[in-house]
Amino acid sequence: MDNNILKAAGIIKKSKNMIALTGAGISVESGIPDFRSAGGLWDRYDPAIYASIQSFIRMPEKVWDMIFEMIEVTEGAAPNSAHFALAKLENMNYLKAVITQNIDNLHQEAGSKNVIEYHGNAKQLVCMSCGAEYGASEFDISTKEIPRCKDCRKILKPSVVFFGENIPFNALSESQKFAEAADAVLVVGTSAVVYPAAAIPRTAKSRGAALIEFNLERTELSSYADILINGSAGKTLPELVKLLEN
């Protein structure tokens, strides 16, 4: 077993307010490619056009070409062992919150209860006109018929943060609160360079928290990390949980 995993377990056993920040990398093992990677969503759809809130307002039918694929990818995915490991850490009372940049709902499906979503959730739809909310599963996305509000018949929008929209206020305020109180932070599957999410580990670190990074390779955050664990999160996180269970 990686000696750094042993060191991480020692830190976590002493922690009282540990949090996790997760990104696209944790869901790649569930079959969801990073949108920015080769073959990802932004390889086929220009995000300046398809992921802009102004584009959605002007031409929602065109943007839904991309949304259909986004929902299909997330609907077909299931949590992997890394998601389950984080849920287990919460159940063991080590992990106080998961702050995620992902929109796939996989943390919740794995059993995590306190999940703060920075970019929303692709499995929920909202009406920008009347505010009605629906589960994406209430509509047969496979027909490629654009879902409309059952009340006002306006075209629905996924409850995800488009470019040009603000991060939800509650997500910002809650994550800031947890970052300031954290004594340990797990950074999993993200390079943590895109703000404001990138501020979370740095804020915690500046207040004395231990930073434990789980990524396939070094990132810009690695120079800040107290412990760097390179490898598949689906393998390394369950190993960490096993140590903490003993």
Side-chain angles (χ1 to χ4, degrees):
M1 180 175 289
D2 188 331
N3 190 49
N4 283 346
I5 298 179
L6 290 168
K7 292 179 182 178
I11 290 173
I12 292 169
K13 284 180 179 178
K14 297 176 183 177
S15 71
K16 302 296 182 185
N17 291 295
M18 184 173 71
I19 61 174
L21 173 67
T22 69
I26 194 173
S27 293
V28 168
E29 293 178 67
S30 292
I32 300 177
D34 184 342
F35 288 179
R36 292 180 172 84
S37 66
L41 212 57
W42 300 155
D43 223 16
R44 297 183 300 284
Y45 299 96
D46 182 350
I49 297 173
Y50 288 90
S52 160
I53 188 59
Q54 293 304 322
S55 293
F56 186 88
I57 292 170
R58 290 197 313 271
M59 47 184 185
E61 295 88 350
K62 181 179 180 68
V63 175
W64 262 97
D65 288 341
M66 178 271 294
I67 295 171
F68 281 126
E69 185 171 342
M70 178 182 71
I71 292 177
E72 285 174 359
V73 169
T74 56
E75 281 289 339
N80 64 60
S81 53
H83 295 105
F84 287 113
L86 291 179
K88 181 70 173 178
L89 288 174
E90 182 183 24
N91 190 52
M92 296 165 71
N93 205 33
Y94 284 119
L95 188 61
K96 305 305 180 185
V98 173
I99 303 165
T100 187
Q101 301 165 85
N102 299 337
I103 60 172
D104 51 35
N105 201 56
L106 295 183
H107 285 298
Q108 293 92 324
E109 291 175 24
S112 290
K113 295 179 176 60
N114 193 13
V115 180
I116 299 170
E117 294 176 312
Y118 247 55
H119 297 145
N121 193 311
K123 296 190 177 181
Q124 301 293 322
L125 303 175
V126 63
C127 178
M128 295 180 68
S129 180
C130 71
E133 297 180 352
Y134 304 91
S137 60
E138 295 180 50
F139 301 87
D140 187 358
I141 301 299
S142 66
T143 66
K144 297 295 191 289
E145 181 179 346
I146 297 175
R148 291 181 175 272
C149 179
K150 297 176 183 178
D151 294 327
C152 69
R153 302 305 301 165
K154 297 291 186 182
I155 291 177
L156 296 174
K157 171 188 171 292
S159 295
V160 301
V161 177
F162 278 57
F163 294 129
E165 290 188 293
N166 294 324
I167 304 295
F169 176 77
N170 285 347
L172 285 174
S173 60
E174 284 294 296
S175 61
Q176 180 70 17
K177 179 184 73 174
F178 278 108
E180 291 176 357
D183 53 12
V185 183
L186 306 181
V187 177
V188 186
T190 176
S191 57
V193 294
V194 178
Y195 284 83
I200 294 166
R202 291 168 174 83
T203 295
K205 177 73 172 177
S206 71
R207 291 172 171 261
L211 196 57
I212 305 169
E213 182 184 4
F214 292 79
N215 269 314
L216 287 174
E217 54 192 22
R218 287 185 65 85
T219 69
E220 290 186 30
L221 189 69
S222 299
S223 60
Y224 296 91
D226 295 276
I227 297 176
L228 175 59
I229 299 171
N230 286 140
S232 157
K235 179 177 181 293
T236 55
L237 277 172
E239 288 180 357
L240 174 66
V241 170
K242 285 181 182 178
L243 284 175
L244 294 168
E245 286 178 319
N246 295 332

